[in-house]
Amino acid sequence: MKETINNFLSTKNIVIGLDAKSKNESIIKLAQVLERNGAVSDAEDFSKDVLKRESITTTGIGNNIAIPHGKSSSVKQATLVFAKNKTPLEWNSLDGSKVTVIFLMAVNSEDAGKDHLLMLAKLSGRLMDDSFVKAIKSENDPVKLLKIFAEGEK
């Protein structure tokens, strides 16, 4: 089976209109989504791991996008959350832009290498495509967003 972004993403992990006031709050709220969906056993523990990683170097890649991620024993299955925050967040992005689009990657510390690198590679490749970025920024329907993520991964 060919691995795609949609192997890690589902409509229940798409959050439109996230109402976080800071980078840390966004990570905590998205970790809670993962806990509710069963991908993470302990949202608080997972958020701490992500924030620890975030303190090393920024995951704000520019163009209003951040890819926070954490390897944690709280992660039950490698997964990805796609979120759009209502207001731009300070993230110390490489280009100085504030973040509205967040991809939170959750990977178990045991199998971190393969899943983490695969997810990051798939995502990074897609984010180089300006039309893809424009499409995900303008679409708010989770089902349509999944289709956009699936396009171009043939």
Side-chain angles (χ1 to χ4, degrees), residues 41-60:
S41 60
D42 184 336
E44 190 177 338
D45 186 51
F46 174 65
S47 336
K48 283 180 183 164
D49 289 333
V50 174
L51 292 169
K52 182 178 170 189
R53 159 65 189 83
E54 197 66 39
S55 70
I56 298 167
T57 182
T58 185
T59 56

Side-chain angles (χ1 to χ4, degrees), residues 113-137:
K114 181 179 174 278
D115 287 337
H116 171 246
L117 294 174
L118 184 64
M119 224 184 304
L120 198 54
K122 291 283 179 191
L123 192 52
S124 300
R126 299 303 305 281
L127 292 173
M128 302 296 267
D129 177 353
D130 291 338
S131 60
F132 171 76
V133 172
K134 186 178 177 188
I136 63 170
K137 283 183 173 183

Side-chain angles (χ1 to χ4, degrees), residues 68-133:
H69 49 282
K71 297 173 185 171
S72 174
S73 57
S74 300
V75 176
K76 294 196 245 180
Q77 65 187 63
T79 191
L80 180 66
V81 174
F82 172 76
K84 289 185 184 182
N85 202 57
K86 287 180 180 178
T87 56
L89 300 171
E90 185 54 58
W91 212 284
N92 297 321
S93 296
L94 299 174
D95 67 353
S97 70
K98 292 193 175 188
V99 165
T100 51
V101 175
I102 304 163
F103 290 94
L104 175 61
M105 293 181 3
V107 182
N108 184 284
S109 31
E110 297 301 308
D111 54 36
K114 181 179 174 278
D115 287 337
H116 171 246
L117 294 174
L118 184 64
M119 224 184 304
L120 198 54
K122 291 283 179 191
L123 192 52
S124 300
R126 299 303 305 281
L127 292 173
M128 302 296 267
D129 177 353
D130 291 338
S131 60
F132 171 76
V133 172

